Amino acid sequence: MQDPIISVVVPVYNVEKHLPATVESLKRQTLGKNLWNAVFVVDCSADKSMSILKKLTEDQKNMRIITMPRNSGVSSARNRGISEAQAEYIAQLDGDDMYEPPALEVVAKNIAENPDSGYFYSSHKRVDKENKEIRAISARPFDAEKLLHYNFISPVKVFSRTVDSAIGGFRDTYAEDWDHPLRALDVLEPGQFTRIKDSLYRYVMRNGSCIHATTESDKRAMVCKFLKPQIEKRMGGPVEVFWSHNHTFEDGNSFNYYDWSRGVNND
């Protein structure tokens, strides 16, 4: 039997209401089940996520559940899932989001067509809790310099285990989904990032999630703190990072755009 091409790592924490749709989106994948598998990492959920997940996956031979010994956060859960995954390529899926049915098949096709690439990302849709589309987000062309200003890769990521190992996996930091591809630039050339124009992911906008409970000003301050060492490493000296503006593209979608000034010593 052919080894799986892709392992989907799914951190699970208090998402009992969303798990059925998440698991169903995996069951509906058009890529043959021998070519992919899923690892659910339950991070000590306080709700019924574990029991629900066991029932939903009991007849799925290519899905397995592992548990964290204590609540450790999404980065640790992802790293544990990656360590237990079987394939060379790792795909991300959050426990309250969904894949479109052809998602893994499209990714596998792009992996085959771009054997030198180590990082893949796609367009996606943002949906409400009823799975009704709010807006479509088109994947932007890859630009290493622009990735320092705004994150155009999250939430869709597929990367090689080799790249993930080389950069030390996910770090326990704010904006870990931005931090990971930025650090991948240390081991990959810009041409080794592949954009997939197809929309493969449905990202659920949940009002109760931590990210939505944080004020916009606090989020911006945390992003500036996270970006500062990344930019200083590349600029070769101290900088002051600040939120600049909402950058709107021709398709109507916008990103928070961050910039910096050089020569500021904060020691």
Side-chain angles (χ1 to χ4, degrees), residues 78-122:
R78 284 181 177 144
N79 289 336
R80 174 70 189 284
I82 292 168
S83 71
E84 298 281 347
Q86 297 172 294
E88 168 60 18
Y89 289 90
I90 308 298
Q92 282 191 203
L93 177 63
D94 286 344
D96 55 354
D97 294 335
M98 295 157 281
Y99 280 150
E100 302 287 5
L104 296 181
E105 184 175 4
V106 171
V107 169
K109 180 175 181 289
N110 275 269
I111 289 172
E113 293 175 348
N114 301 275
D116 293 332
S117 289
Y119 225 103
F120 300 81
Y121 63 103
S122 82

Side-chain angles (χ1 to χ4, degrees), residues 105-234:
E105 184 175 4
V106 171
V107 169
K109 180 175 181 289
N110 275 269
I111 289 172
E113 293 175 348
N114 301 275
D116 293 332
S117 289
Y119 225 103
F120 300 81
Y121 63 103
S122 82
S123 301
H124 70 282
K125 293 183 176 68
R126 294 190 177 182
V127 300
D128 63 19
K129 61 182 180 180
E130 305 299 330
N131 199 19
K132 294 180 181 178
E133 183 178 333
I134 298 173
R135 63 182 177 274
I137 310 293
S138 299
R140 311 302 307 175
F142 188 80
D143 185 311
E145 195 275 333
K146 288 180 180 176
L147 190 58
L148 287 168
H149 293 280
Y150 59 93
N151 183 17
F152 53 82
I153 291 183
S154 182
V156 187
K157 292 177 185 60
V158 180
F159 46 84
S160 74
R161 179 190 300 277
T162 303
V163 169
D164 182 74
S165 178
I167 65 174
F170 285 86
R171 297 194 296 191
D172 185 15
T173 181
Y174 187 77
E176 82 287 341
D177 272 355
W178 193 352
D179 177 69
H180 195 269
L182 272 177
R183 287 187 295 118
L185 281 170
D186 294 337
V187 298
L188 292 174
E189 297 296 328
Q192 292 177 289
F193 287 77
T194 293
R195 172 179 64 148
I196 301 174
K197 294 182 179 180
D198 307 67
S199 183
L200 305 182
Y201 196 101
R202 300 181 75 83
Y203 176 80
V204 180
M205 304 292 287
R206 288 197 299 138
N207 292 331
S209 65
C210 293
I211 190 67
H212 293 296
T214 307
T215 66
E216 191 65 27
S217 60
D218 284 346
K219 284 189 285 187
R220 290 171 179 172
M222 287 187 285
V223 169
C224 290
K225 182 178 180 180
F226 142 73
L227 277 177
K228 181 176 170 65
Q230 293 277 1
I231 296 169
E232 289 181 336
K233 178 175 66 175
R234 289 164 174 82

